[in-house]
Amino acid sequence: MDGPAPESYETLRRSIASQRNDLSKRLRLIADYALLDPSAFALRAVAGLAAEIGVAPSAIIRFAQHFGYSGFSEMQNVFRQRLEAAAPSYRDRVHNLEQHGGADATDDMMRRFIDAGIASLKDLQLTISPDKIDEAAGFIADARTVHVLAQKRTFPAAAYLAYNLARLEMPAHLFDGIGGMLEQQSNLMGPDDVVVAISFLPGAQTTADVFSLALDKGARTVAIVDVPRAPYVHADVVFEVVEASVENFRSLTATISLALVLAIRAGTFSAHKSNPQDERQ
Amino acid sequence: MDGPAPESYETLRRSIASQRNDLSKRLRLIADYALLDPSAFALRAVAGLAAEIGVAPSAIIRFAQHFGYSGFSEMQNVFRQRLEAAAPSYRDRVHNLEQHGGADATDDMMRRFIDAGIASLKDLQLTISPDKIDEAAGFIADARTVHVLAQKRTFPAAAYLAYNLARLEMPAHLFDGIGGMLEQQSNLMGPDDVVVAISFLPGAQTTADVFSLALDKGARTVAIVDVPRAPYVHADVVFEVVEASVENFRSLTATISLALVLAIRAGTFSAHKSNPQDERQ
DNA sequence: GTCAATATGGAATAAACATTCCATTCAGAA
DNA sequence: TTCTGAATGGAATGTTTATTCCATATTGAC
């Protein structure tokens, strides 16, 4: 029973289920197993599956061909789709935006950047845990001073965080390193302070140096990174943010939004602290 | 740096993250990709991964061996574990997300900011005309110097624009007004320059003052505002951007995205100008 | 029970793939 | 600069894995 081979997992699954009763004995064994444990079909090899199910390897190829595929490998790709969907891969979520890179009309580019920004925001919602935000916001609310630390492409996000903290009357200090004052500025950090660092690859060395210093001095530390790496992995709270990129320009929307939420949550906690009779609403 | 090879995905990930900085150049490329897109490591073959990352196939084997595995295949099994673990719960996870919407305060707030950001981006796409972007980008590409001007809440967007212009090798100058140097900085503006101002209500007076000066000096002017008003309405190009706000905190996502598109378009025009025989690809 | 059509297992083959090895390049020390 | 050891790319090799093919077994019709 041929016809075009199903291209999506759901279609394939329906097809297997509906034909099951018409299959030969061996093929039916295989069908049942495919419905029962699709992950095995996605990840294991023909020989292994055959042994598990108790059929000959060739039976598995016949099974795939029965549903219109050229062989097992082709069918396996459909099973793998399902796994990729379950653990969404960066390539799927974000990289695709870079695919048709040739078009360079302005409106097309704008559309792609906007899509990239939206993808980043949605990903932020899926991957960032509110508990972590609360933890970091708690540190910030209790801090004597909040030092915000970033260079180059992430600097705008740091400026935004510092601005909003200041607006909420929290003692924020933006490390700008202007005039080679970085070392003096570093000396301001103490154990009652919180240091928030934002660093995306390829990170600036000075950001890493100052952050390491903060760790040594026993300050509370919060890191926002794209890829976890030393010294940021040693922070008290580490946020991993995936920003979509188009033609090697990375968006900042997710990072900016995270900074804003952090500031506001910290502001809330801080207000509760100074007015203890306030209740959460 | 050997030792026993990690047997769980989480252990492996931590191990890669912490050793990342000590790896050689190629191995570090691979490490970043593994952290960014673990699904690819679970499903793809050595040759395909190598091509994607831009390294030799043997480098991937070396990467696996560096972390204590006998070869790539053994490491790949660890990445596959993660997919198997993620697959069954996928349906539940999506369901849960849709179910208890207003779970706790932080979660709810994050959702609202993300929705606000997405709304701003969609609005940007609807309201900003590509022709205006091209016009502004043309000015920027032709300028001797680009002065970027903003204060307070819009300053991060200005920093972002200046950073990206500089990255594209365009002469960008960020007005920071540090040390009361604003007046001296203002004198840098001339008729061959472009001034880009970003101002949202309630605008800073200094931004308006410097912008007026730019108009007087005959510089090309570009304004990004939320509400059109003097002196910005007299700019050569005026963009009106609507940022959604939540509880009086305005998002910056649309402005940031607009800044990025402006920079890249200007970069494109500038590149075409300096290499006239270049064709668009 | 015999025959024909179909299903099946397993060996043989082909393809894809991982791994090793070595010549060359690169980066750092003297 | 020259030297030395590490890093790298790419071709050669070996292994795993998919697929084909055919001899044999099974099923169902008569």
Side-chain angles (χ1 to χ4, degrees):
Chain A
M1 182 82 26
D2 287 24
E7 285 178 20
S8 81
Y9 171 71
E10 284 305 330
T11 316
L12 173 57
R13 187 182 170 84
R14 258 197 301 280
S15 183
I16 294 174
S18 72
Q19 292 186 44
R20 173 189 183 278
N21 291 333
D22 302 331
L23 296 173
S24 75
K25 204 168 12 164
R26 288 301 136 105
L27 260 42
R28 192 178 308 157
L29 279 176
I30 299 170
D32 289 344
Y33 198 87
L35 296 171
L36 197 65
D37 190 357
S39 293
F41 269 64
L43 295 179
R44 304 194 51 185
V46 170
L49 278 178
E52 186 100 6
I53 303 174
V55 300
S58 45
I60 306 234
I61 280 73
R62 274 196 287 270
F63 178 79
Q65 288 170 341
H66 174 91
F67 287 96
Y69 301 99
S70 69
F72 175 71
S73 301
E74 203 174 297
M75 185 176 78
Q76 189 173 45
N77 285 333
V78 175
F79 280 100
R80 288 182 169 183
Q81 275 179 28
R82 164 177 162 274
L83 285 191
E84 286 213 74
S89 76
Y90 172 76
R91 220 181 41 237
D92 279 4
R93 285 182 328 224
V94 159
H95 223 70
N96 276 347
L97 294 166
E98 300 191 30
Q99 291 249 323
H100 38 98
D104 71 348
T106 297
D107 60 346
D108 184 55
M109 170 174 290
M110 205 166 81
R111 187 183 52 71
R112 285 193 291 148
F113 274 107
I114 286 169
D115 288 348
I118 291 174
S120 301
L121 287 173
K122 287 184 171 167
D123 189 74
L124 182 72
Q125 179 158 36
L126 282 176
T127 57
I128 298 292
S129 109
D131 292 343
K132 272 195 186 176
I133 291 183
D134 283 347
E135 194 184 355
F139 291 157
I140 293 173
D142 293 340
R144 193 187 57 179
T145 308
V146 183
H147 304 276
V148 186
L149 177 58
Q151 302 268 305
K152 303 191 182 181
R153 71 155 30 105
T154 54
F155 178 73
Y160 189 62
L161 177 58
Y163 168 77
N164 281 305
L165 287 173
R167 224 187 118 197
L168 288 161
E169 300 179 5
M170 310 197 56
H173 166 238
L174 179 61
F175 265 95
D176 44 30
I178 283 179
M181 303 280 283
L182 216 94
E183 200 166 328
Q184 284 91 329
Q185 291 187 334
S186 302
N187 289 327
L188 297 172
M189 302 183 305
D192 298 335
D193 296 343
V194 169
V195 175
V196 182
I198 311 177
S199 174
F200 290 174
L201 287 174
Q205 188 59 44
T206 51
T207 306
D209 291 345
V210 176
F211 192 78
S212 296
L213 192 63
L215 288 169
D216 290 347
K217 290 201 175 186
R220 293 284 195 188
T221 47
V222 176
I224 300 175
V225 296
D226 55 351
V227 169
R229 61 197 189 280
Y232 307 108
V233 283
H234 304 118
D236 293 309
V237 184
V238 182
F239 294 103
E240 282 180 50
V241 174
V242 177
E243 291 280 8
S245 64
V246 178
E247 289 167 21
N248 281 330
F249 285 85
R250 231 177 305 185
S251 135
L252 251 193
T253 54
T255 312
I256 288 265
S257 299
L258 177 58
L260 182 54
V261 173
L262 260 184
I264 296 178
R265 286 316 281 174
T268 312
F269 291 162
S270 173
H272 286 167
K273 206 180 52 174
S274 49
N275 301 322
Q277 65 266 50
D278 272 12
E279 283 305 313
R280 293 194 183 185
Q281 306 172 11
Chain B
M1 186 75 32
D2 289 25
E7 286 176 20
S8 82
Y9 171 72
E10 282 307 327
T11 317
L12 173 56
R13 185 180 169 85
R14 256 197 301 280
S15 183
I16 294 175
S18 71
Q19 290 188 44
R20 173 190 183 276
N21 289 339
D22 302 330
L23 296 174
S24 74
K25 203 166 17 160
R26 288 303 137 103
L27 260 41
R28 192 178 308 157
L29 280 176
I30 299 170
D32 290 343
Y33 199 87
L35 294 170
L36 207 59
D37 191 357
S39 294
F41 268 63
L43 295 179
R44 304 195 51 186
V46 169
L49 278 178
E52 184 99 8
I53 302 174
V55 301
S58 44
I60 304 224
I61 312 296
R62 274 195 287 270
F63 178 77
Q65 288 170 341
H66 175 92
F67 287 96
Y69 302 99
S70 68
F72 174 71
S73 302
E74 201 174 299
M75 186 177 78
Q76 190 173 47
N77 286 333
V78 176
F79 279 100
R80 289 184 167 181
Q81 275 179 28
R82 162 177 164 276
L83 285 189
E84 286 211 73
S89 62
Y90 177 59
R91 195 182 296 249
D92 293 344
R93 218 180 83 205
V94 172
H95 215 66
N96 281 346
L97 272 176
E98 292 175 359
Q99 292 249 325
H100 42 91
D104 63 286
T106 299
D107 191 42
D108 185 52
M109 169 173 294
M110 206 166 80
R111 182 190 313 275
R112 281 193 291 152
F113 274 107
I114 285 167
D115 288 346
I118 290 174
S120 302
L121 287 173
K122 287 185 171 167
D123 188 74
L124 181 71
Q125 179 158 35
L126 287 176
T127 58
I128 298 295
S129 107
D131 292 343
K132 272 195 187 178
I133 291 182
D134 282 347
E135 193 184 355
F139 291 156
I140 293 174
D142 294 339
R144 194 188 55 177
T145 308
V146 183
H147 304 276
V148 186
L149 178 57
Q151 302 270 303
K152 303 193 182 178
R153 70 153 33 102
T154 53
F155 177 73
Y160 190 61
L161 177 58
Y163 167 77
N164 281 303
L165 287 173
R167 225 187 117 196
L168 288 161
E169 298 178 6
M170 311 196 55
H173 166 236
L174 179 62
F175 266 95
D176 45 28
I178 282 179
M181 304 280 284
L182 216 94
E183 200 164 327
Q184 285 91 327
Q185 290 186 336
S186 304
N187 290 326
L188 298 173
M189 301 183 305
D192 298 334
D193 295 344
V194 169
V195 175
V196 182
I198 311 176
S199 173
F200 290 173
L201 286 173
Q205 189 57 46
T206 53
T207 306
D209 291 345
V210 176
F211 192 78
S212 297
L213 192 61
L215 287 169
D216 291 345
K217 291 202 174 185
R220 295 282 195 187
T221 47
V222 176
I224 300 174
V225 297
D226 53 353
V227 171
R229 62 193 189 282
Y232 306 108
V233 283
H234 304 117
D236 293 307
V237 184
V238 182
F239 294 103
E240 283 180 51
V241 173
V242 178
E243 292 280 7
S245 64
V246 178
E247 290 168 19
N248 281 329
F249 284 86
R250 230 176 307 183
S251 138
L252 251 194
T253 53
T255 312
I256 287 265
S257 298
L258 176 59
L260 182 54
V261 174
L262 260 184
I264 295 178
R265 287 316 281 173
T268 311
F269 293 162
S270 173
H272 288 167
K273 205 183 51 172
S274 50
N275 299 323
Q277 67 266 51
D278 271 15
E279 283 304 313
R280 296 188 181 189
Q281 306 174 11

